[in-house]
Amino acid sequence: MAECEARYALPSERSGDVGQASWELEGGSDADVFRAAMRRMVGGVTVIATRHEGRPWGMTVSAFTPVCMDPPTLLVCVNSRTVTASDILRDGRFAVNLLSQAQLHVSQLCSSAGSDKYVDDHVVPAALLPGRVVMPILRDSIVSFDCKVAEARPVGSHNVVIATIESILAPTSRRPLLYGEGKYLRGVGIDDFAALEGA
């Protein structure tokens, strides 16, 4: 992408119309405009799990991405004023759980501002986990990563946390829970959709 520049024509340009482009969103470095713009991104729902006061605790986050494959490394961004950020900095450990459609209620619990986010009833019992896994793993996740902090640095209101992956757990394939445009979504594969239309 960096090697070639592409200019995408607006609908008015493609049709030969001359005039002003019409933007639903337009702004510079305005936090509210940026927030509204990011709501348009559709992605999987991710819950960070830590231990808080000895109990499993979860927080839904929107900023999660792989960093590299060798060694397996990921990045999450966590509001520095949250319990989760304090737990991560204290212990240097956390788990990342990518949620399935069966976990909508877990995402809602872990994203409610100002309330307790204990997830005791939603974790896999320790006896059923490999011995190397130390952080809470949420039941029914499509994949979970047990992570160790490699680097954490403050950027604005958040801590950017880079972590190496200590363990990966993925059960039988499940449908992912998606979020975009301010609501939960279900994904449908393009091939599956085409097959349904042709039926």
Side-chain angles (χ1 to χ4, degrees):
M1 194 73 164
E3 296 176 3
C4 63
E5 269 184 42
R7 182 176 181 275
Y8 296 97
L10 297 169
S12 61
E13 294 174 321
R14 287 195 298 268
S15 63
D17 295 340
V18 177
Q20 281 298 104
S22 175
W23 303 107
E24 185 177 352
L25 287 175
E26 195 281 327
S29 59
D30 180 275
D32 290 334
V33 174
F34 182 57
R35 187 177 296 109
M38 293 308 297
R39 284 170 61 98
R40 296 183 176 211
M41 183 179 79
V42 175
V45 179
T46 305
V47 167
I48 303 301
T50 59
R51 293 202 183 279
H52 181 64
E53 298 177 344
R55 294 171 58 191
W57 178 277
M59 185 178 83
T60 304
V61 298
S62 56
F64 155 78
T65 189
V67 173
C68 64
M69 299 297 142
D70 187 18
T73 304
L74 56 75
L75 176 151
V76 297
C77 298
V78 183
N79 189 309
S80 59
R81 293 172 294 167
T82 62
V83 165
T84 301
S86 298
D87 292 340
I88 289 172
L89 293 178
R90 182 194 67 225
D91 297 334
R93 297 296 297 258
F94 61 96
V96 175
N97 299 272
L98 277 59
L99 301 193
S100 71
Q101 289 178 13
Q103 295 172 291
L104 172 61
H105 59 290
V106 177
S107 175
Q108 292 170 329
L109 167 68
C110 295
S111 62
S112 55
S115 63
D116 286 347
K117 298 178 178 70
Y118 290 109
V119 290
D120 305 78
D121 296 336
H122 305 288
V123 298
V124 177
L128 300 179
L129 294 172
R132 66 183 180 276
V133 176
V134 299
M135 297 312 292
I137 301 299
L138 295 177
R139 190 174 57 248
D140 297 325
S141 297
I142 60 173
V143 64
S144 298
F145 304 99
D146 188 26
C147 303
K148 184 176 183 179
V149 175
E151 183 180 349
R153 65 174 60 180
V155 177
S157 59
H158 281 57
N159 290 337
V160 176
V161 182
I162 298 173
T164 55
I165 298 169
E166 301 289 298
S167 293
I168 301 170
L169 296 170
T172 305
S173 183
R174 294 180 165 96
R175 292 190 178 275
L177 180 63
L178 303 177
Y179 191 84
E181 293 286 353
K183 59 189 172 189
Y184 291 99
L185 304 168
R186 290 184 181 178
V188 177
I190 291 175
D191 293 341
D192 295 337
F193 186 71
L196 286 173
E197 280 192 320

